[in-house]
Amino acid sequence: MADITRRLGWRHLRGAPTAHVRHHRSGELAHDGPGLSFWFRSLSAALSEVPVDDRELAMTFHARTVDFQDVTVQATVTYRISDPALAAARLDFSIDPDTGIWRGAPLEQLGTLLTETAQQHALDVLARTSLSSALVDGVTAVRERVAAGLAAEPRLPATGIEIVAVRVVALRPEPEVERALRTPAREQIQQEADRATYERRAVAVERERTIAENELASQIELARREEQLVEQRGTNTRREAEENAAADKVRAEAEATRSVRMAEAEAARSVKLTEAEAARQVRLADAEAQRTERLAQAEAARTVRLARAEAEAAREVGEARAQAQAAWLRVHGDVEVATLHALTGTRLAENLPHIDSVTISPDVLTGLLSRLGAGERE
């Protein structure tokens, strides 16, 4: 489809390389060719666009064979427009100057023409062919007949159409007839499959028999080998027992010898230890006696020194006490009797226990005051 744009009352057309554009202005051909691009006025322009590329037309139609069986034909016709001017003159390829869309349906007209023409020739060849022949050679016959018929059709060149290729894709009967035709082949294939199954089973049975015989022979050989193995195991066990007995005897003798040697060594070691212990006890006893003697001597000397020190200290203490007593007596011999009474009271108070409070009765206070008054008078 051509691309048309508007600019200030003018139209601009830009065509595709596969589209042949014809532009008539006031009845005269102004532009003619593929892939054109030009300006025009819509009121005075007549435009037509003819595709010149190869077109595929698929068609499906029914036909009847000579034995009155319905078959379906699927074919494809490839064509192109070789003379765009002639095609534009025979078919309506005109386009709208505002939108670039075809005013009619030219390609549908070409499809109808090609389909009816090809169908006519296919029906003609199938009407004289049986169903079996049509299914075997019908595709080639229909393709050749349709191709020859389209090439000989006078209307196609007059319209500027060139047939490029004709292909018949399939030629199939009705589903029920097709299933019926497939039945003998399926039965034969099934028979061949059954025969192959039976042969395979026979071969399998023969192979199983051979396998069973081989297994039996293998079991016999295995039993013989097991018998030899049992005998060999008995021999090995007996030999192993004899070797173990000899080894145990050697081991017992070695153990006895080792025990005797160890007992002798232990006895010698015990004697040595006893002698060493006795010598050590003697040395300890001597050392203990010497130490006891030295301790006794030191204790006696210390006791004598202590006794002397204590006697000396007692003598010095007695002398000091005597001197102190004499001095005390000398001092107190010159003191008055009242002072001595006071000192005696003071010393007595120092040696009395702690007294929180003293209660003096009136009788005691009267006697004391009387004595004090008597003393003052004296």
Side-chain angles (χ1 to χ4, degrees):
M1 185 179 67
D3 184 11
I4 298 177
T5 57
R6 301 180 183 182
R7 292 292 186 278
L8 300 176
W10 288 82
R11 304 290 188 273
H12 182 269
L13 182 142
R14 181 176 58 190
T18 58
H20 189 98
V21 179
R22 293 173 61 84
H23 173 213
H24 291 79
R25 184 175 53 238
S26 300
E28 295 181 359
L29 185 61
H31 298 90
D32 185 15
L36 297 181
S37 179
F38 54 86
W39 292 91
F40 66 93
R41 287 187 175 275
S42 61
L43 297 178
S44 61
L47 302 174
S48 60
E49 183 182 18
V50 182
V52 294
D53 56 338
D54 291 350
R55 299 268 173 165
E56 300 284 342
L57 177 63
M59 57 185 71
T60 301
F61 52 87
H62 294 270
R64 181 171 296 180
T65 61
V66 69
D67 47 3
F68 304 102
Q69 297 296 324
D70 188 24
V71 294
T72 302
V73 181
Q74 296 179 1
T76 301
V77 176
T78 304
Y79 69 96
R80 68 183 183 89
I81 299 176
S82 58
D83 191 348
L86 185 58
R90 298 293 300 271
L91 298 174
D92 185 11
F93 283 96
S94 62
I95 61 176
D96 192 325
D98 293 329
T99 61
I101 301 175
W102 279 319
R103 296 180 183 273
L107 295 181
E108 294 181 3
Q109 296 178 7
L110 286 178
T112 301
L113 174 61
L114 293 174
T115 301
E116 291 178 354
T117 303
Q119 184 177 0
Q120 178 181 355
H121 295 289
L123 293 175
D124 188 17
V125 69
L126 290 175
R128 295 191 296 270
T129 307
S130 63
L131 178 62
S132 58
S133 299
L135 295 178
V136 176
D137 301 324
V139 173
T140 303
V142 170
R143 183 181 65 250
E144 294 176 353
R145 180 58 181 276
V146 170
L150 292 176
E153 179 66 30
R155 187 178 175 185
L156 297 181
T159 314
I161 299 175
E162 178 183 355
I163 301 300
V164 177
V166 176
R167 298 187 302 277
V168 177
V169 180
L171 198 153
R172 303 183 62 178
E174 294 180 348
E176 294 82 1
V177 177
E178 187 175 5
R179 284 194 295 270
L181 293 175
R182 290 178 180 176
T183 301
R186 288 183 177 178
E187 291 295 332
Q188 185 177 359
I189 294 172
Q190 186 64 36
Q191 292 176 3
E192 294 293 335
D194 294 340
R195 186 181 299 107
T197 302
Y198 297 149
E199 292 177 356
R200 185 171 64 254
R201 289 180 179 177
V203 172
V205 170
E206 182 65 22
R207 290 180 178 176
E208 289 178 358
R209 184 181 63 80
T210 304
I211 293 172
E213 292 177 355
N214 294 334
E215 290 180 351
L216 181 60
S218 300
Q219 292 178 359
I220 294 173
E221 181 65 19
L222 182 61
R224 187 177 63 80
R225 295 286 182 86
E226 288 181 353
E227 183 179 0
Q228 295 177 356
L229 180 61
V230 169
E231 293 178 358
Q232 186 64 35
R233 284 180 177 176
T235 303
N236 295 338
T237 303
R238 185 170 59 255
R239 185 179 302 171
E240 184 178 0
E242 293 175 355
E243 292 178 354
N244 291 334
D248 292 340
K249 181 179 179 181
V250 172
R251 191 180 301 110
E253 293 176 355
E255 184 67 22
T257 303
R258 188 175 66 84
S259 299
V260 170
R261 291 178 180 176
M262 290 182 64
E264 293 175 353
E266 184 67 22
R269 190 174 66 85
S270 299
V271 170
K272 291 180 180 180
L273 290 175
T274 303
E275 293 176 354
E277 182 65 21
R280 189 177 67 83
Q281 293 292 335
V282 170
R283 289 194 299 270
L284 289 175
D286 294 341
E288 184 66 21
Q290 293 176 3
R291 189 176 68 83
T292 304
E293 184 179 358
R294 287 195 296 270
L295 290 175
Q297 294 176 359
E299 184 65 23
R302 188 177 67 84
T303 304
V304 171
R305 288 195 299 271
L306 289 175
R308 290 177 179 177
E310 289 178 355
E312 185 67 24
R315 186 179 62 78
E316 291 178 357
V317 169
E319 291 178 355
R321 286 180 178 177
Q323 292 176 2
Q325 187 69 26
W328 185 81
L329 291 175
R330 285 195 302 269
V331 170
H332 290 82
D334 299 333
V335 179
E336 296 179 356
V337 177
T339 303
L340 291 175
H341 290 168
L343 291 174
T344 301
T346 303
R347 183 64 60 86
L348 180 62
E350 290 177 356
N351 294 322
L352 289 176
H354 179 70
I355 299 173
D356 292 333
S357 62
V358 178
T359 304
I360 299 174
S361 63
D363 296 336
V364 174
L365 182 59
T366 302
L368 289 177
L369 292 177
S370 298
R371 289 181 183 179
L372 288 176
E376 288 178 359
R377 282 195 302 270
E378 292 175 358

